[in-house]
Amino acid sequence: MGRTQSYDRDDVVRAARSVFWEQGYEGAPLPELERVTGLNRSSIYHAFGSKRGLFDAAVESYLDEIIRPRLSPLTVDEVAPGALEEYLLGLRTALKQPASLPASSGCLLVNTAAAPIGRDEAVAHVIAGYRSELRSAFGRGVAARRSDLDGAQVATLADACTGLVVSAFALARVDAAGAADAVGTAIALVTGSLQP
């Protein structure tokens, strides 16, 4: 007779997610994953198949619990004119708080893109999908905010904002102020106070 699962899977994944977010896939040692999840190695392998399986679950959790809720005002049928600006202001605020995960650790997926595991085909596909999701949401936000722009200008501005946010996440660990400044530039572009 099999043993009854005595842990909350979502809690385990969230605990592991924080380790992967701070240390990366390659830098996350199994003893640390065991410690934060409260599971031993065999339980991790039984539940997730491998460290990689736990990482994949953590990435899905990151998208579902961190990324998509923040982007949701930009993905509804009627996007409010200030939705993208609010998203960017919230991100800039988080980047200015040294104790926040965005300031101390950037973005789990941007970090993963720069790590060896980012070359894995399945992981690269998830990262490309994330960038596409971000770009699509930003495009909708730009279109809602800037009715003065034509379609090509909206696309260019959405591309610029996506690039600035991705670069902010890449900079966050080493230059949080510079990362916040990059997001500030995106805000200025979106509001029209700075022309591209």
Side-chain angles (χ1 to χ4, degrees):
M1 193 165 144
R3 288 173 30 190
T4 304
Q5 181 176 309
S6 60
Y7 60 87
D8 183 296
R9 188 178 195 281
D10 291 340
D11 288 344
V12 165
V13 170
R14 286 183 197 108
R17 182 180 74 204
S18 68
V19 175
F20 289 128
W21 196 348
E22 292 172 14
Q23 300 180 33
Y25 174 76
E26 291 83 5
L30 270 170
E32 177 67 4
L33 292 168
E34 290 175 298
R35 185 187 70 74
V36 301
T37 63
L39 299 179
N40 62 35
R41 188 173 306 209
S42 64
S43 294
I44 290 173
Y45 278 54
H46 181 265
F48 300 97
S50 62
K51 175 183 169 182
R52 170 62 189 275
L54 180 58
F55 175 75
D56 290 343
V59 166
E60 279 307 308
S61 166
Y62 180 76
L63 286 166
D64 291 341
E65 296 180 4
I66 307 285
I67 298 299
R68 291 180 181 129
R70 292 267 300 123
L71 290 177
S72 65
L74 297 164
T75 60
V76 294
D77 288 341
E78 293 280 333
V79 177
L84 180 54
E85 187 177 353
E86 287 177 31
Y87 170 90
L88 294 168
L89 287 167
L91 177 57
R92 185 174 67 177
T93 297
L95 289 169
K96 289 182 174 184
Q97 298 171 349
S100 75
L101 272 171
S104 65
S105 300
C107 168
L108 173 60
L109 290 167
V110 171
N111 298 346
T112 299
I117 195 168
R119 292 187 211 106
D120 176 276
E121 186 177 335
V123 173
H125 180 74
V126 170
I127 294 167
Y130 161 64
R131 190 233 170 250
S132 177
E133 222 173 307
L134 198 64
R135 167 57 182 78
S136 175
F138 287 3
R140 291 173 53 78
V142 170
R145 176 67 167 84
R146 297 292 303 274
S147 59
D148 59 310
L149 301 179
D150 65 29
Q153 291 169 318
V154 167
T156 298
L157 188 48
D159 286 340
C161 288
T162 303
L164 286 163
V165 167
V166 169
S167 69
F169 282 137
L171 277 174
R173 291 179 172 204
V174 295
D175 182 7
D181 288 346
V183 176
T185 300
I187 293 168
L189 288 170
V190 168
T191 59
S193 58
L194 176 68
Q195 296 302 315

